[in-house]
Amino acid sequence: MTDDGLWSIGELAARAGVTVKTVRHYSDRGLLPEAARSGGGHRRYGPQALDRLRLIRSLRSLDLGVPEVRRVIERDEALEEVLAARLREVGSQLAVLRWREAALRLVQDCAAGERAERLRLLGAVSLPPDSGALVRFWRRVLPARLPARLVTTVLDSVVPPPPADPTPPQVLAFARLHGLVSDPRLDSGEFRPAPPLPAGEYRPTVLYEGLAEAYALAARGVDEALGEGEALDCFVAAYAAALGTADTPAFRRRLVGLLARSDGPVVHRYWKLAAGLFAPGEPVLGALHHHLSVALHAQVGSRAG
């Protein structure tokens, strides 16, 4: 230390436990205050530089970049913003690692004969995957005239978010689900999902609003058997109102056929794969629809007998 209480760059580095190169780097970036220069032009630093250097080291230990460190130094309140942004980045990185670990286990633990298919499925999706392909699938299935608010409600109910910490079976289910909704055969032929009712013959808004109420009743377990109760009546009433007809025994028999037509192999496969991707205890719309359809079929069959 010089007579004026200042340190050379080497002395500052020794006190801070870093290299001279590190001190010079931060000085050159304008992050360390220089108290003075010696007669020979050498840098001199005071206690403020040591405090600043220790702060920089602490921030860098949190993996903050130099631009973020500068923001914190220049504006104290920026620390909260920088930390929040870094936490979001770390969360995204952890999600990638969790999905990658589950995917590795999925391939490692399967039989040798299954690996080629699983690798092909995994190669078609990002890790973690996004739900874009699933959303596009349902937008093709939903009626074009459905109000945006109802489209959003339906999409929230039918598109499972990628689990934050997936199991290998969930990774496989999501990859298969992605493959299903991305199949080019969806654009033509019998593989294309059928609309819920004949196009142009019903009011989509009336149908989907009524179905939402029926699914809510079924999810709350208003009538556990579903065969005779409010949820099933509401379910049938939604279709009847959308078609502008009355809920009669004859209509219920007709509706069984309409439901069988719309619940094709693609939608059935979708719900089978998606079932394990929703949060535990979360009502799965596909399962509720299936239970109500089965209940209606059983009711019509028992009355016919």
Side-chain angles (χ1 to χ4, degrees):
M1 178 178 288
T2 59
D3 294 339
D4 56 5
L6 300 180
W7 302 305
S8 67
I9 190 170
E11 291 171 329
L12 175 62
R15 286 177 175 271
V18 299
T19 64
V20 170
K21 182 179 179 181
T22 297
V23 177
R24 183 174 290 112
H25 172 71
Y26 291 136
S27 290
D28 292 343
R29 300 294 292 269
L31 298 178
L32 286 181
E34 294 181 19
R37 290 268 180 167
S38 68
H42 298 294
R43 295 164 175 168
R44 292 288 183 262
Y45 300 91
Q48 183 183 5
L50 180 59
D51 292 340
R52 176 71 60 78
L53 188 54
R54 286 170 174 166
L55 172 62
I56 293 171
R57 289 190 65 193
S58 297
L59 295 174
R60 293 288 284 151
S61 72
L62 297 176
D63 202 27
L64 299 183
V66 172
E68 286 76 24
V69 170
R70 183 184 301 279
R71 286 176 57 194
V72 173
I73 288 174
E74 294 176 349
R75 188 166 58 91
D76 289 341
E77 58 269 26
L79 180 59
E80 290 295 331
E81 302 169 7
V82 168
L83 292 178
R86 187 64 187 130
L87 281 171
R88 288 192 295 271
E89 292 174 11
V90 170
S92 298
Q93 293 166 0
L94 287 174
V96 171
L97 291 175
R98 292 188 185 107
W99 273 84
R100 188 166 295 158
E101 179 186 23
L104 288 168
R105 294 191 184 282
L106 175 68
V107 177
Q108 180 186 50
D109 297 341
C110 72
E114 298 176 323
R115 284 182 176 166
E117 183 212 5
R118 295 190 176 187
L119 287 170
R120 178 182 60 79
L121 289 169
L122 292 172
V125 298
S126 59
L127 295 179
D130 63 59
S131 302
L134 280 62
V135 170
R136 290 190 292 273
F137 167 78
W138 283 105
R139 286 191 180 276
R140 292 204 304 268
V141 172
L142 293 174
R145 293 176 294 157
L146 201 63
R149 60 179 178 80
L150 275 179
V151 171
T152 300
T153 298
V154 173
L155 291 177
D156 288 344
S157 302
V158 301
V159 176
D165 190 6
T167 63
Q170 286 178 319
V171 171
L172 181 59
F174 213 105
R176 284 177 170 164
L177 197 59
H178 183 276
L180 176 70
V181 301
S182 304
D183 194 312
R185 292 177 295 171
L186 289 173
D187 296 327
S188 62
E190 296 181 359
F191 200 66
R192 179 191 301 160
L197 289 173
E201 298 182 17
Y202 73 105
R203 293 175 291 173
T205 301
V206 173
L207 175 62
Y208 281 90
E209 286 179 342
L211 288 178
E213 183 179 353
Y215 297 146
L217 290 171
R220 293 201 299 268
V222 171
D223 31 83
E224 293 187 9
L226 292 179
E228 299 281 351
E230 187 179 357
L232 181 58
D233 288 344
C234 186
F235 180 70
V236 175
Y239 284 96
L243 287 165
T245 189
D247 177 6
T248 64
F251 174 75
R252 293 197 175 210
R253 289 193 297 271
R254 178 191 173 201
L255 182 56
V256 168
L258 290 172
L259 292 175
R261 174 178 172 272
S262 63
D263 293 342
V266 175
V267 173
H268 179 75
R269 175 69 171 162
Y270 180 96
W271 287 116
K272 186 175 181 180
L273 292 170
L277 296 171
F278 288 93
E282 181 180 356
V284 180
L285 188 148
L288 297 173
H289 181 87
H290 174 72
H291 292 326
L292 288 165
S293 299
V294 169
L296 176 64
H297 189 279
Q299 183 192 77
V300 168
S302 65
R303 290 179 179 179

